[in-house]
Structures are given as C-alpha cells and as structure tokens.
Amino acid sequence: MSIDEDQLPAPNTQPTALTALPAGVLWDLDGTLMDTEPLWFAQERALVEEYGGVWTHEDALSLVGLALLDSADLIRARTPVTLDRERIVDRLQGGVVDGLRGAVPWRPGARELIDELSAAGVPQALVTMSWRPVLEVVLRALPEGTFAALVTGDAVTRGKPHPEPYLTGLELLGLAGRASDCVAVEDSSTGAASAVAAGIPTLVTPCVKPVDPAPGLVLVDSLAGVRAADLLPLAAPAARSGMAR
C-alpha cells in the first residue's frame, strides 16, 4: 500500500493519555534517517576506479540496504578490486564518515519525529547495516539516550534482509513478544524485508531506489509532517496484512 502526504492523518499536535503510540520504533539509518546513500555511492565508485574498474549507478543501487561485508563481496566479484572484504568496508565507511563531518543530512521529518517520540517516552532502536564509526555520527547529533538499543551490521551474524537485525532490536528493547505493536521505518526493499520478516509493521520512505508494494509494509512519500500519533494509523494496513505476529 502507498500513502501520499495528502492522506496523512489529521495532525495531533501533542500526544495525550488516550493517544495510541507504538510500543517501540525501530529505525534504519542510511537513506532513512540520513540521506547518506550518495556518499556511499561516491566512495564505491572512487575505490573501483582506483583499481581500474567501472562502477555504475545501477551497481551502486544494487548494494542499497545490504550488509557491508556482503556489499564488499559483490564489489570484489564485479570489479578488479583485490582488497579483502574488511579493508573494503573500512575504506568505504571511512570516506562516508569524512563526508559527514560538516552536518548530518537528515531526511525530511526524521529528526523531528525522533525528538517527539523521545519526548513521549517511546523506546527507539537504531537497526543499521552500517558499522559503529558511521553510527557515531548520528549519535553525536542527538541527545544522549535517544536510542535505547543499537544494532549495527558488525554485531549480527546475518544482515538484512534476514530478520536477525530487527529481532535483535526487539529483544534489546524488551519487546520480543510485541513485534506487531511496534513500527519499523525503512527506505529500501532489503531493509523492509528484514523488518517484515521479524513481524514488525513497516513504513517505507524510499530514498534512492523505488520500493515495490508488498505485504507487511506501507509506502509513505515522506516523514515530513508525520507525528508520533500518526505512526500506528499509518502502519495499520501492514499490521492487518497477515504478517504481523
């Protein structure tokens, strides 16, 4: 299902005791909270060209949402790059971190929604395939304790689209038995598949790559104007689609 901005629920300016809020909100990072995908694309292209290869926009899009080591494997398989996979990850994320030193490129509405959820006492988790160095950038830009749980790509055995990252996030939030009462926010089909497989109704705000409709997810044009009290109504079609447990 897809929802455009004209179909957003009427604004609820302040959550009240009667306002239904998610038990928890689990966020992706790259492309969802921050518009970092162009930085990743540029680093991938620079690395491949350094080894005499060609890296197209389509190649870059194929890595969106994947675990970094899986991305490194694909770079090695498709190009002349001979670095081992860990070195590839270090090179890529080092360049991304350097590119973020000026200001965090928040996606529209993301920072405001995070702040409102924090003020309302809704526990939030960051579930990202990026590793800790990239994560530190966003953590420095937010009040301490904004995220009650952090799941990084180097802390799980199986990355997205496997459900392990989101199952881990639910467990760390103490919500392992309440997946259907939570909401996940993603930007890619790979990330959404992970959240949906974990049983979490999922909002998807596509960034650099279109996402096809699928059971368990709802497409939203933007988070701009989305309030904490809107999340459960927006995600309701996903919860009703038969995937949420």
Side-chain angles (χ1 to χ4, degrees):
M1 178 175 180
S2 179
I3 295 176
D4 61 35
E5 293 180 33
D6 293 336
Q7 295 173 284
L8 288 174
N12 186 337
T13 57
Q14 190 67 34
T16 69
L18 299 177
T19 299
L21 296 174
V25 176
L26 297 89
W27 293 88
D28 174 50
L29 176 61
D30 295 292
T32 301
L33 287 185
M34 302 190 302
D35 187 11
T36 51
E37 297 297 0
L39 295 174
W40 287 104
F41 292 0
Q43 292 304 314
E44 292 158 11
R45 185 174 61 254
L47 175 61
V48 172
E49 289 179 351
E50 180 181 320
Y51 281 79
V54 175
W55 191 249
T56 68
H57 185 66
E58 288 69 28
D59 287 323
L61 289 176
S62 72
L63 304 190
V64 171
L66 293 179
L68 292 182
L69 288 175
D70 292 339
S71 295
D73 286 339
L74 287 173
I75 290 172
R76 283 171 52 89
R78 296 177 182 174
T79 75
V81 174
T82 56
L83 293 175
D84 63 42
R85 58 207 304 245
E86 289 79 9
R87 287 285 308 281
I88 291 174
V89 171
D90 288 343
R91 284 282 302 273
L92 297 180
Q93 71 177 355
V96 170
V97 170
D98 287 344
L100 291 170
R101 294 196 188 281
V104 173
W106 298 106
R107 287 202 69 197
R111 173 64 191 270
E112 294 81 1
L113 186 52
I114 289 172
D115 290 344
E116 186 183 4
L117 289 165
S118 292
V122 176
Q124 300 178 80
L126 197 54
V127 182
T128 176
M129 290 297 89
S130 287
W131 292 5
R132 190 77 189 196
V134 176
L135 186 67
E136 292 291 348
V137 176
V138 70
L139 295 181
R140 286 196 297 268
L142 292 168
E144 186 175 354
T146 295
F147 292 105
L150 304 172
V151 181
T152 57
D154 51 340
V156 294
T157 304
R158 293 157 295 189
K160 301 174 185 179
H162 194 277
E164 181 185 346
Y166 278 99
L167 291 173
T168 301
L170 288 169
E171 184 175 354
L172 292 174
L173 289 177
L175 296 170
R178 299 185 62 191
S180 62
D181 297 326
C182 298
V183 173
V185 188
E186 272 282 353
D187 74 296
S188 71
S189 56
T190 302
S194 174
V196 169
I200 309 171
T202 302
L203 298 180
V204 180
T205 59
C207 186
V208 297
K209 186 177 181 180
V211 176
D212 293 330
L217 63 85
V218 173
L219 298 172
V220 180
D221 287 344
S222 171
L223 293 178
V226 175
R227 307 298 302 268
D230 299 330
L231 290 177
L232 287 178
L234 282 173
R240 291 195 298 266
S241 68
M243 48 62 66
R245 26 180 203 268

